[in-house]
Amino acid sequence: MRAAVMATAGFTLLETSYGKARSVKGLSNFITAAAAEAGIEGRTPHGLRKFRLTAIAEAGGSAHAIMAWGGHASLSEAEAYTRAASRRGLVMGLEQEQNDVNGPANSCKRAN
């Protein structure tokens, strides 16, 4: 494994069209443009990452799964997502979704 890492030292996955490494701002712009092209507007790379980590937590993923996907260095950073999902589950639990008052017919959003 170490030999593979050493052999690829200096390797850049997302290079510019000139074969150079992208700057932080350049990579951010590249990801934002790709997201817009995919139909995801108004999301920065950080916003996309946070959205994904929140989705993992809300689907019941563990803090360790969030750490693995998000690259967090400490468990406490990842646990913030699971705590928020747990609080949301308490407020908007399954019984809330099944309640007729909260059904689509009583939503304040109107279908077009």
Side-chain angles (χ1 to χ4, degrees), residues 44-76:
T44 63
H46 179 262
L48 291 168
R49 179 175 174 261
K50 185 173 181 175
F51 177 81
R52 179 64 182 142
L53 298 179
T54 300
I56 292 170
E58 288 178 354
S62 68
H64 286 94
I66 294 166
M67 284 180 72
W69 202 95
H72 288 99
S74 72
L75 189 58
S76 63

Side-chain angles (χ1 to χ4, degrees), residues 20-91:
K20 303 284 184 185
R22 293 185 186 276
S23 68
V24 172
K25 184 154 179 72
L27 180 60
S28 179
N29 291 340
F30 177 79
I31 293 172
T32 300
E37 192 174 310
I40 303 168
E41 296 288 335
R43 294 279 187 172
T44 63
H46 179 262
L48 291 168
R49 179 175 174 261
K50 185 173 181 175
F51 177 81
R52 179 64 182 142
L53 298 179
T54 300
I56 292 170
E58 288 178 354
S62 68
H64 286 94
I66 294 166
M67 284 180 72
W69 202 95
H72 288 99
S74 72
L75 189 58
S76 63
E77 291 178 78
E79 285 176 334
Y81 289 95
T82 58
R83 280 192 305 273
S86 179
R87 282 192 305 268
R88 185 169 188 266
L90 290 171
V91 173

